[in-house]
């Protein structure tokens, strides 16, 4: 590896490290009973764990390495674009344009061959057309829902999110495989009552 490539890789890793500082709306319960915001990097780790646990549970033949690659890159654009809350219509309306512009910066920081490879993975995740992308998307949606359940629905209540609001977001994940449908149903059951208002 030549010096310029090595420097570019190290600079990109420093850029990607900023994902640890991008806060999401989801809350992480702490041992003392308080909560703090989840970061996008923590979210990606949790997705990777979900994928590891579920890839052999679903009917589709999932290439775990490929699914994990999609998961690793799917939120990298957030180091420039920030996280867009799933239940923020105004933010969602501008999300695609903001993330495309961010992708130019983030993946453009890499040597051209690596930048193209990682951008293609990000685009594959966004398009959701492969089995691995659909699987990764289902893990992504389920993780956000799980995080809200683990924090007793605090972020949902903070933002006035209702059960009806969550249905369109969760339906594509439930449709990926009966395993996701069953797990998400159990999460809805756990969220019954005041955690996720009707």
């Amino acid at each position: 590896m030549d010096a310029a490539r090595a420097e570019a890789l190290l600079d990109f890793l420093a850029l990607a490290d900023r994902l640890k500082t991008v806060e999401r709306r989801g809350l992480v319960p702490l041992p003392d009973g308080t909560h703090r915001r989840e970061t996008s990097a923590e979210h990606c780790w949790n997705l990777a764990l979900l994928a590891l646990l579920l890839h052999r549970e679903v009917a589709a033949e999932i290439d775990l390495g490929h699914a994990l690659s999609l998961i690793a890159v799917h939120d990298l654009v957030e180091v420039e674009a920030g996280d867009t809350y799933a239940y923020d219509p105004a933010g969602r309306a501008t999300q695609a344009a903001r993330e495309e512009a961010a992708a130019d910066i983030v993946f453009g920081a890499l040597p051209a061959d690596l930048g193209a490879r990682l951008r293609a993975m990000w685009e594959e995740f966004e398009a959701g057309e492969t089995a691995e992308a659909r699987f990764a998307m289902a893990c992504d949606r389920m993780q956000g829902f799980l995080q809200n359940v683990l924090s007793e629905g605090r972020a949902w209540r903070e933002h006035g999110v209702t059960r009806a609001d969550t249905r369109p977001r969760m339906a594509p994940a439930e449709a990926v495989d009966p395993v996701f449908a069953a797990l998400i149903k159990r999460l809805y059951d756990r969220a019954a009552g005041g955690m996720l208002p009707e």
Side-chain angles (χ1 to χ4, degrees):
M1 179 181 296
D2 67 29
R5 189 172 178 88
E7 286 299 317
L9 287 174
L10 293 174
D11 289 347
F12 175 78
L13 290 170
L15 175 68
D17 193 65
R18 289 174 32 206
L19 202 60
K20 296 174 184 174
T21 67
V22 176
E23 290 187 343
R24 295 167 50 87
R25 302 286 173 93
L27 297 168
V28 176
L30 300 174
D32 66 0
T34 63
H35 293 77
R36 66 165 175 78
R37 296 278 178 218
E38 177 189 36
T39 70
S40 288
E42 291 169 322
H43 162 71
C44 290
W45 164 79
N46 210 192
L47 283 187
L49 185 58
L50 271 172
L52 181 62
L53 293 172
L54 298 180
H55 80 282
R56 289 190 177 150
E57 301 290 329
V58 298
E61 192 74 27
I62 300 298
D63 178 336
L64 179 61
H66 188 65
L68 290 173
S69 295
L70 299 179
I71 287 166
V73 303
H74 89 286
D75 274 346
L76 281 175
V77 297
E78 292 183 6
V79 301
E80 292 294 331
D83 179 62
T84 301
Y85 186 49
Y87 305 104
D88 172 12
R92 302 235 350 134
T94 63
Q95 181 178 9
R98 287 183 292 107
E99 290 188 353
E100 279 288 335
D104 291 341
I105 296 167
V106 172
F107 301 121
L110 281 163
D113 63 317
L114 289 175
R117 193 167 104 213
L118 267 62
R119 185 172 190 138
M121 289 177 193
W122 174 71
E123 290 171 348
E124 179 183 346
F125 179 92
E126 291 297 313
E129 294 173 353
T130 63
E132 285 76 16
R134 287 188 297 276
F135 173 78
M137 173 278 299
C139 290
D140 183 43
R141 302 276 172 100
M142 192 176 124
Q143 191 279 336
F145 198 95
L146 171 64
Q147 196 63 50
N148 275 289
V149 171
L150 292 175
S151 62
E152 300 172 338
R154 290 174 189 254
W156 282 329
R157 289 192 307 277
E158 188 178 296
H159 299 285
V161 175
T162 67
R163 184 174 294 256
D165 295 327
T166 66
R167 288 294 185 188
R169 178 148 181 89
M170 299 312 295
E174 292 172 296
V176 166
D177 189 273
V179 167
F180 285 106
L183 289 168
I184 291 167
K185 181 193 178 306
R186 289 185 175 273
L187 288 173
Y188 271 113
D189 290 346
R190 290 184 180 193
M195 190 183 296
L196 183 59
E198 298 292 333

